[in-house]
Amino acid sequence: MEPIKGRIWVFGDNIDTDQILPGYAMAEAAANLGRFAMAGSKMPDFSSQVKPGDIIVAGKNFGGGSSREQAPVALRAAGVSLVIAPSFARIFRRNSINIGLPVLLADIREHVKTGDWIEVDLAAGTIRTADKVLAGQPLAPTVLATVQAGGLINRVRQELGITD
Amino acid sequence: MNFIERYLAAAAGLQEVCVGQDIRCRVDLAMSHDVTAPIAIQQFEQIGIDRVFDPQKVVLVIDHIFPAATVQARTAHWIMKEFARKYGVTLYSKGEGVCHQLLSERHRLQPGQILVGADSHTCTAGGYGVIGIPVGSTELAAAMATGTIDLEVPPVVEVYLTGALQGYAAGKDIVLHLIRHFGVDGLTDKAVVFTGPGIACLPLEERMTICNMGIEMGAMIACFGSESKADQVAETVELPLEKIAPVAACPPSPANVKPVAELGDIAVSQVVIGSCTNGRLNDVAKAVAVLRRHPVHPDVNCLIIPASKIVLDEMETRGWCKILRDAGAVVTNPGCGPCFGAHQGLGAEQDVIVSTTNRNFPGRMGHRSAGIYLTSPATAAATAVRGKITEPGALLAEEGH
């Protein structure tokens, strides 16, 4: 898999799903969800500033709370290519992988700031900043396979032998 | 093996399993609601098969935004109605109640069943000994197609309950106490099980309340077991129930839990009693016990939201709806109410809300600055009367009880 290269946005601990996508935006069409990405956080104008390929670097327990898959969909629709955090809420982590949005376990906040550029190798779990290489947890083979397939639906199709 | 491992092994068709093992389990029930189902349906259609794994085992519930508050919400209902007709699956579409409550009332939940639900509070069924796995829409779509779910066997944390609840303490106070202990992510990717002689004092409804908020500690599974100690668990925490007092989760986190008696004077403008956490008959009974003798405070909106039509029917049979209305409360249709932040009682910047629901994240019920305190129904009802957060025993002591 090609390395992911992008500019980063740094957030704190416990960014829950209501901050990632507030309840009032849940019924919006998927195509519009990007406009509401992080609208409930302390950076409500995130969606107007984020650029395609940008990376979120956050603190512990990113994505806590709801099972709403619209939350990772909103991040992806806004252009986010990867989320890096020392821990993720279980359902958010699985949802992200299932829709093909990679998440990486690593705590790099003390080494970076918003606006920095980094390059990430998901299979190796390494994060390259301007002056150093940081270690994260490499994606497990099954998780990497789902990400590479473009999400769980493609993997289910493969397993059921559906090719059309 | 502990009982969670036994259940998972049986569902995976294996003799035994161990912590960390990746397994594929059969699904006994797959559930989705009006917020998660439209995406699940879209993803299911992407797979390209013409049937669900078993129409008898797929349940759709319209409960989060019913009656529709927006055109988009109503469109979601239509997507579900068309899917239910096309694939012959069960659909509750007339305001029958909250999905987790409906599963318990109408689907014969049994210990060891595997329930996959596209709602984070699917763990509620753990009150019945069911393995309730909360998932997102795409994973639910895959479960509807294949009748299976891939899991890793979790380490089990046992909460061993001894003694019995005293006074006005309830299941909600137990689980808030545990969330304070473990933190919002303390049990991420783990299972939490409840055992011990103390569970004898907890009726099924209270067990559901406790399991409901398992996800608020990050847990993968929350489940009641037998009275005896579980075998081979990663950790056991003993909890003497007689030490549990009424507590409140203060803004902005379900883990920010303090004894109600120590909160001081906090004026409240809205009280919400209901939801999949605390909208059952035993919960409404607490409100009725207080409001039949005291009116709702003039500065407070008091909303009562039955968890299901069956709960509402019984409230009417017992004359409770009139008692609540005469006291100044509003009884709404069964469903999720304002818990999810879409309708029926949202807060403005200056609102302070006491709610029996399960989350108090900023903005959860409207404006980001509206403070939300989570309590048991007894505390919420006493608060509705006094207009400030009130320990239920304090109100009743005033009456000379």
Side-chain angles (χ1 to χ4, degrees):
Chain A
M1 213 178 163
E2 288 290 300
I4 295 175
K5 197 173 176 184
R7 188 177 58 145
I8 62 172
W9 298 88
V10 179
F11 286 89
D13 290 334
N14 295 316
I15 302 292
D16 58 63
T17 45
D18 285 79
Q19 295 184 55
I20 299 168
L21 187 73
Y24 64 79
M26 291 291 296
E28 291 286 334
N32 297 334
L33 287 174
R35 274 192 253 149
F36 300 94
M38 307 303 283
S41 75
K42 284 179 179 161
M43 204 185 150
D45 59 346
F46 176 77
S47 71
S48 64
Q49 300 199 44
V50 67
K51 297 217 164 43
D54 283 1
I55 294 168
I56 287 179
V57 171
K60 71 182 176 93
N61 197 35
F62 189 87
S66 169
S67 66
R68 57 182 73 162
E69 192 165 300
Q70 287 91 336
V73 169
L75 294 181
R76 195 185 55 184
V80 173
S81 65
L82 170 69
V83 185
I84 301 174
S87 64
F88 290 89
R90 173 182 175 81
I91 313 175
F92 181 89
R93 188 185 75 228
R94 287 176 76 105
N95 282 344
S96 299
I97 299 298
N98 288 339
I99 64 159
L101 172 69
V103 296
L104 185 71
L105 283 165
D107 192 358
I108 63 168
R109 280 173 300 162
E110 54 183 80
H111 303 286
V112 295
K113 60 184 187 306
T114 292
D116 287 356
W117 284 78
I118 59 172
E119 188 174 305
V120 181
D121 182 330
L122 291 177
T126 52
I127 301 137
R128 194 176 295 276
T129 70
D131 55 359
K132 61 185 96 167
V133 179
L134 305 166
Q137 188 174 316
L139 296 196
T142 52
V143 172
L144 195 60
T146 305
V147 171
Q148 281 173 329
L152 181 64
I153 293 304
N154 289 343
R155 235 193 64 210
V156 170
R157 283 170 58 86
Q158 287 166 9
E159 287 181 14
L160 292 174
I162 299 168
T163 51
D164 54 305
Chain B
M1 290 192 291
N2 57 56
F3 72 91
I4 295 294
E5 288 164 345
R6 283 202 306 277
Y7 290 166
L8 291 176
L14 299 169
Q15 289 297 317
E16 52 186 81
V17 295
C18 59
V19 172
Q21 185 178 347
D22 287 319
I23 57 173
R24 179 162 289 184
C25 294
R26 58 135 223 279
V27 170
D28 297 305
L29 266 180
M31 182 278 293
S32 190
H33 56 61
D34 44 330
V35 171
T36 53
I39 294 183
I41 289 167
Q42 184 192 30
Q43 295 289 69
F44 181 86
E45 303 273 357
Q46 293 281 318
I47 294 171
I49 52 173
D50 59 4
R51 57 184 293 276
V52 299
F53 79 104
D54 183 344
Q56 304 280 321
K57 296 181 178 174
V58 175
V59 179
L60 302 181
V61 184
I62 294 175
D63 59 1
H64 273 57
I65 319 178
F66 183 87
T70 62
V71 174
Q72 290 104 313
R74 185 60 185 155
T75 304
H77 299 172
W78 274 104
I79 291 168
M80 294 169 74
K81 288 163 78 155
E82 280 160 18
F83 183 85
R85 191 164 50 225
K86 186 170 169 188
Y87 295 96
V89 307
T90 302
L91 170 70
Y92 298 106
S93 64
K94 294 184 166 52
E96 288 95 328
V98 187
C99 53
H100 309 298
Q101 182 66 14
L102 290 181
L103 290 178
S104 77
E105 289 172 351
R106 306 195 187 197
H107 290 268
R108 288 208 200 115
L109 298 180
Q110 303 285 339
Q113 285 179 327
I114 309 291
L115 162 63
V116 174
D119 185 280
S120 58
H121 296 101
T122 300
C123 43
T124 310
Y128 285 78
V130 169
I131 306 270
I133 305 287
V135 298
S137 299
T138 296
E139 202 156 357
L140 196 271
M144 287 198 296
T146 64
T148 65
I149 182 165
D150 291 343
L151 298 170
E152 71 289 348
V153 178
V156 171
V157 175
E158 176 183 45
V159 176
Y160 187 77
L161 304 173
T162 61
L165 289 172
Q166 305 292 317
Y168 297 94
K172 182 64 160 281
D173 299 301
I174 297 174
V175 73
L176 289 176
H177 178 91
L178 290 170
I179 298 167
R180 174 175 56 186
H181 175 81
F182 288 110
V184 290
D185 60 349
L187 298 179
T188 298
D189 290 326
K190 295 176 181 164
V192 56
V193 301
F194 303 95
T195 64
I199 67 178
C201 78
L202 298 170
L204 200 47
E205 294 90 337
E206 299 285 331
R207 298 182 192 198
M208 290 169 75
T209 299
I210 292 169
C211 288
N212 176 273
M213 295 189 75
I215 189 67
E216 263 53 73
M217 305 176 255
M220 167 184 175
I221 295 166
C223 193
F224 269 78
S226 64
E227 286 188 13
S228 59
K229 262 196 152 70
D231 298 323
Q232 296 172 39
V233 296
E235 181 189 348
T236 295
V237 174
E238 197 166 313
L239 184 63
L241 293 182
E242 63 275 11
K243 291 196 175 159
I244 298 292
V247 288
C250 305
S253 163
N256 189 18
V257 175
K258 294 172 186 162
V260 174
E262 293 172 17
L263 282 180
D265 280 356
I266 296 173
V268 166
S269 52
Q270 181 154 293
V271 168
V272 177
I273 297 175
S275 85
C276 59
T277 320
N278 280 120
R280 285 172 276 278
L281 203 62
N282 63 317
D283 300 315
V284 181
K286 307 280 173 47
V288 172
V290 171
L291 295 177
R292 76 189 326 153
R293 292 193 299 271
H294 306 275
V296 170
H297 190 277
D299 297 338
V300 174
N301 296 334
C302 181
L303 310 176
I304 313 282
I305 302 136
S308 73
K309 175 180 177 295
I310 289 175
V311 171
L312 178 56
D313 285 348
E314 190 59 30
M315 286 166 62
E316 282 175 347
T317 301
R318 297 184 186 194
W320 289 359
C321 291
K322 177 151 174 59
I323 291 168
L324 293 167
R325 276 195 297 269
D326 286 350
V330 173
V331 179
T332 75
N333 60 296
C336 295
C339 173
F340 152 78
H343 68 159
Q344 284 186 323
L346 304 184
E349 189 172 3
Q350 56 272 57
D351 272 303
V352 175
I353 302 170
V354 163
S355 178
T356 68
T357 56
N358 42 46
R359 292 202 169 123
N360 59 350
F361 303 150
R364 176 74 180 178
M365 278 193 220
H367 198 281
R368 266 186 71 80
S369 299
I372 306 171
Y373 293 79
L374 306 177
T375 72
S376 75
T379 301
T383 298
V385 168
R386 283 275 198 84
K388 61 184 183 185
I389 302 181
T390 301
E391 219 262 320
L395 182 73
L396 287 136
E398 224 174 55
E399 294 178 341
H401 283 267

